[in-house]
Amino acid sequence: MSYSLLLFDYDGTLCDTRAAIKYSLRRTFQEFGYSKPVEPALRAVVQQGLPLAATLLGLHPAGTGPLPATWTETYRRIYRAEAEQLVRPFPGAQQVLAAAVALGCTVVVISNKGLAILENSLARLGLREYAALVLGDDPTATAPLPLKPDPALFTQRIQPRFPQFTSSSTLMIGDTATDLQFAQNCGIAACWASYGFGHAAECAAFKPVHRISSLTELLPLLTQ
């Protein structure tokens, strides 16, 4: 199968953001006067790849109601000002994106992360130039962005932008069950980045078409 539209997840697929995410979550709880989440809880919630609001709520005691928007705003402020510098691209990230573009593929980066943080991070790491489109959560947008695993992210935001590509020529590359469920919901092939953050058993249950243990293993899929 030849793929020409590549949808890359950011956290855990292109970039190792674990240290930045955990730092920001601990600091957010600290700032609101709560005990810092412990490592097992942090690891479990990062493995899921959920939207930020759900991640924060998941770390609260059972039965906690919806959190005020100030929680997500505070997390993003801390992440942007203090934690983003901890982010590192996975080995081969720039090489793979450059090779994909050179082969004529169109690259889209999609994430449940805030769009401003996502754009700034990709630019700082020298990866933004390879992406034809970057999609992330933008609280200032008139119409909220559907977040993974909602297939509306694909049908309403990606397909209209790139109508020349079919579902069969589209590949989702991601590391969590959320990414793989998104691909399944969209009816597109999935490549599981098993080196990332996802829980192995949960990801394997989605039976992704491809599995890679490093980013550079993606290259042969693009030249088949």
Side-chain angles (χ1 to χ4, degrees):
M1 171 58 68
S2 177
Y3 300 108
S4 47
L5 179 59
L6 306 178
L7 312 182
F8 283 90
D9 172 55
Y10 169 80
D11 293 285
T13 301
L14 285 175
C15 296
D16 189 346
T17 57
R18 275 173 289 208
I21 292 171
K22 291 177 182 179
Y23 175 93
S24 300
L25 288 171
R26 291 190 186 101
R27 281 277 292 109
T28 299
F29 275 73
Q30 179 186 43
E31 188 147 321
F32 282 99
Y34 284 78
S35 299
K36 296 178 184 178
V38 296
E39 178 60 29
L42 289 171
R43 183 168 57 250
V45 78
V46 169
Q47 284 182 324
Q48 298 177 61
L50 297 172
L52 176 57
T55 295
L56 290 166
L57 187 59
L59 289 169
H60 275 260
T64 302
L67 296 176
T70 50
W71 276 80
T72 57
E73 293 166 0
T74 298
Y75 173 94
R76 285 174 174 156
R77 171 176 55 79
I78 292 169
Y79 191 104
R80 181 174 57 252
E82 303 175 25
E84 197 282 322
Q85 61 186 332
L86 301 174
V87 176
R88 297 290 182 270
F90 280 109
Q94 188 169 25
Q95 173 192 355
V96 168
L97 293 183
V101 172
L103 288 167
C105 298
T106 295
V107 170
V108 175
V109 178
I110 56 176
S111 176
N112 289 342
K113 185 179 290 297
L115 179 61
I117 292 172
L118 184 62
E119 288 272 14
N120 290 339
S121 183
L122 290 170
R124 180 181 69 82
L125 298 172
L127 304 178
R128 179 61 182 89
E129 64 185 279
Y130 302 107
L133 178 65
V134 175
L135 293 172
D137 187 18
D138 183 1
T140 67
T142 304
L145 182 77
L147 299 178
K148 296 176 294 182
D150 188 342
L153 177 61
F154 181 62
T155 59
Q156 297 179 12
R157 297 299 181 92
I158 298 174
Q159 282 187 312
R161 178 73 177 268
F162 305 105
Q164 69 272 33
F165 299 115
T166 64
S167 295
S168 61
S169 66
T170 302
L171 179 65
M172 174 69 206
I173 305 103
D175 68 305
T176 66
T178 298
D179 296 316
L180 303 180
Q181 184 180 0
F182 170 71
Q184 186 178 86
N185 292 346
C186 297
I188 60 178
C191 176
W192 173 30
S194 63
Y195 57 85
F197 305 165
H199 187 279
E202 292 178 357
C203 292
F206 282 95
K207 297 180 171 58
V209 178
H210 308 287
R211 172 179 176 171
I212 55 175
S213 57
S214 69
L215 262 173
T216 53
E217 290 181 13
L218 183 66
L219 291 175
L221 301 180
L222 306 182
T223 56
Q224 288 178 358

